[in-house]
Amino acid sequence: MNTQVRRALGLVSGPGSNRLGLQAMRLAIAVVFLWIGALKFAPYEADSITPFVANSPVMAFFYAHPDQYAQHLTHEGELNLAARAWQTANHTYAFSRGLGTVELLIGLLVLAGLASRRLGLAGAVLAFLTPVVTLSFLVTTPEAWVAALGEAEHGFPYLSGAGRLVLKDVTLMAGAWLVLADSARAVLRAAAAPTTRAPAPGLAAEA
């Protein structure tokens, strides 16, 4: 192995590179939550998560008529006023705005980890737990798998577009764990650091 390659590998494997990677992961997670959270205020994004929410045993109660969602689904970019009216009555948009607010908060907390250990730890915990919920959609949402419409490849393990989107959250979970561990170490270091106090004026004079 020549000197240049060794030098490059040394830079990549060094503590500075590791720190840069963790900060980049923190920024990447923040971008995902902030961007997707902001999109939750757009009707098309709210419509697109309807199957996930309606089929979730822990989320379906947010909808007024979760059992009727399949009749009112639209494609991204499609304007269907009747379907939109149903989605409004179903509380689809109200729920999506609430979820978007939570995701924006998580993104801001993760981003705050660049300056605040405790806020960063809180954000990292939430960022790690969120994919736990979304990955459960692979079990509860029929639309996560290719439907049996004639092709031999359908059902498990053939993920649909929605399923492939959900599966990517495994990388978000792994990245959030790294950020969580880094934030936890920072909090523990701060707690273990000795606190130095300036001596009282009288004691200083006696010394």
Side-chain angles (χ1 to χ4, degrees), residues 131-151:
V132 175
V133 177
T134 55
L135 287 171
S136 72
F137 294 152
L138 293 177
V139 178
T140 61
T141 310
E143 286 84 355
W145 307 95
V146 174
L149 300 177
E151 284 279 3

Side-chain angles (χ1 to χ4, degrees), residues 161-174:
R164 295 193 294 273
L165 181 65
V166 170
L167 185 63
K168 291 178 182 178
D169 270 16
V170 297
T171 58
L172 181 62
M173 178 184 287

Side-chain angles (χ1 to χ4, degrees), residues 26-73:
R26 183 172 276 111
L27 285 171
I29 292 172
V31 166
V32 169
F33 275 98
L34 291 172
W35 198 330
I36 301 300
L39 289 179
K40 289 292 189 298
F41 291 82
Y44 87 93
E45 173 67 10
D47 293 348
S48 70
I49 66 172
T50 301
F52 300 121
V53 179
N55 286 289
S56 171
V58 297
M59 290 186 179
F61 73 91
F62 284 107
Y63 285 173
H65 309 288
D67 56 319
Q68 302 174 17
Y69 78 92
Q71 308 163 36
H72 305 280
L73 292 178

